[in-house]
Amino acid sequence: MTKCIKIQRANMNVLVVLLWLTFLFTGSYGQFQNQHSQQVPVCASIPVGVPVNGPETFQGPKGEHGTAGKRGPKGERGSPGHPWGHGGCPTITYHFPRDDQIADYVWYRSYVPRMIEATACAWLETSDFHDDIASWVSYAIPGQNNEFLLSIRTKTTADIYIGGQSHKLLLPDLSSMNKFHACVWFSNKTRQTGIYINSERVSTLPLKGFVSQGGGSMIFGQDQDDVNAGSLAENQAYNGNITNLMIWPRVLSQNEINNLAYNCQCPVDYVIALTLDRVELFGEAHYSIPDTCPTL
């Protein structure tokens, strides 16, 4: 390969020696041109890849790309998802370990909407079947402390307050059940209220016209007789566990309640659920995440 380069005159002596040596061994001269200029172009045979004038090199053409390797084996399936959201149900259990106290409760910190009808469902586990009231939902607004109150009075009766109206509902013997699924509903459209125990409608009563006003305070595990968890009573504390407590702004159908109790399939249009980002715990109330969603 032949390449022409320019050499400074200061290097001419070295160049002459190199050309003389080239003549001796090869019998050819390099060609001098422009002897009176500051740079002298020189043409000489230079092997490919030999550095010229410092770091400059002659590079050969790039090699071809290699063939792609085989695809690796498929990864393993990930672990099962978190139980929250199973079937639409945020599966969380809240524990209320003490009776006859006013310190243990859960406060729902998000906004409670206005509702002309509603259904509240939860899994309840309690042995608190005595003459004291075991309150599991208490909703109060200014001027009405019993806007919506759900309580178990005895092993066969429940108290429901709706807009200050008291209703006593008859129940099957709860003392024979370690855990049971309860759904309480009311409707201003049909002017009725009632309760399901383990997916069976066990009681229905007439209801005066009522619309639950929004913006109040809702707590669980105590009965508040004033807004913001005010005027609690020791004999109205709930002692036991509450799981998957949710409220919908309508009356759930029998089929929906069956799916809740037997399949842990929760309708997604709920307005209240006790997820950890929406509640504040007080006293010795605490929570746990069950391994599975409870079912009948």
Side-chain angles (χ1 to χ4, degrees):
M1 175 181 178
T2 301
K3 179 155 180 86
C4 293
I5 59 175
K6 293 183 178 180
I7 306 296
Q8 298 293 329
R9 186 173 297 276
N11 297 322
M12 284 298 297
N13 292 335
V14 175
L15 179 59
V16 169
V17 173
L18 290 175
L19 290 176
W20 181 76
L21 291 174
T22 301
F23 168 73
L24 289 178
F25 289 98
T26 66
S28 64
Y29 284 99
Q31 183 179 4
F32 288 83
Q33 294 182 348
N34 301 326
Q35 295 182 1
H36 300 289
S37 64
Q38 292 300 312
Q39 294 182 334
V40 178
V42 176
C43 292
S45 296
I46 301 175
V48 174
V50 176
V52 177
N53 195 23
E56 181 182 356
T57 62
F58 297 105
Q59 298 180 353
K62 291 184 178 179
E64 297 181 356
H65 289 287
T67 57
K70 294 183 179 181
R71 184 184 297 273
K74 185 177 181 180
E76 297 181 358
R77 183 182 294 275
S79 58
H82 198 280
W84 294 7
H86 177 83
C89 301
T91 305
I92 308 172
T93 298
Y94 290 94
H95 306 273
F96 304 88
R98 301 183 295 176
D99 196 9
D100 296 327
Q101 43 73 38
I102 60 172
D104 305 344
Y105 59 95
V106 174
W107 192 336
Y108 184 73
R109 287 299 196 179
S110 290
Y111 183 79
V112 178
R114 177 180 182 271
M115 290 179 282
I116 63 173
E117 55 184 10
T119 305
C121 296
W123 286 92
L124 303 178
E125 186 176 2
T126 182
S127 58
D128 191 8
F129 304 122
H130 47 71
D131 289 337
D132 292 344
I133 297 173
S135 301
W136 50 289
V137 178
S138 176
Y139 178 57
I141 61 173
Q144 182 53 264
N145 58 304
N146 289 327
E147 183 74 353
F148 188 51
L149 174 65
L150 306 180
S151 301
I152 297 172
R153 179 172 288 277
T154 70
K155 63 183 180 180
T156 57
T157 59
D159 287 344
I160 299 177
Y161 282 80
I162 301 174
Q165 307 171 41
S166 175
H167 304 272
K168 187 179 295 294
L169 300 176
L170 297 179
L171 306 176
D173 189 347
L174 299 178
S175 63
S176 62
M177 305 177 191
N178 180 46
K179 181 187 293 185
F180 58 93
H181 188 254
C183 285
V184 179
W185 59 274
F186 74 85
S187 174
N188 188 50
K189 296 178 180 179
T190 63
R191 303 295 178 91
Q192 288 181 316
T193 184
I195 187 170
Y196 291 80
I197 297 294
N198 289 343
S199 192
E200 294 185 11
R201 182 182 287 196
V202 296
S203 188
T204 303
L205 294 174
L207 175 70
K208 295 180 181 180
F210 167 73
V211 175
S212 178
Q213 301 302 314
S217 59
M218 181 173 283
I219 67 171
F220 307 90
Q222 297 280 352
D223 174 15
Q224 55 184 339
D225 286 333
D226 200 355
V227 294
N228 299 326
S231 302
L232 305 180
E234 291 184 355
N235 66 341
Q236 296 177 344
Y238 179 88
N239 176 211
N241 303 325
I242 300 175
T243 302
N244 286 18
L245 197 155
M246 305 172 72
I247 299 177
W248 290 262
R250 60 184 178 87
V251 177
L252 297 186
S253 68
Q254 176 71 64
N255 185 59
E256 288 175 316
I257 291 176
N258 288 344
N259 282 330
L260 272 170
Y262 286 96
N263 303 315
C264 193
Q265 295 294 322
C266 298
V268 298
D269 59 335
Y270 58 85
V271 292
I272 292 174
L274 303 191
T275 53
L276 297 178
D277 59 328
R278 296 187 177 188
V279 300
E280 184 176 356
L281 279 64
F282 291 84
E284 294 185 11
H286 58 282
Y287 75 92
S288 64
I289 307 299
D291 293 332
T292 59
C293 185
T295 57
L296 290 175

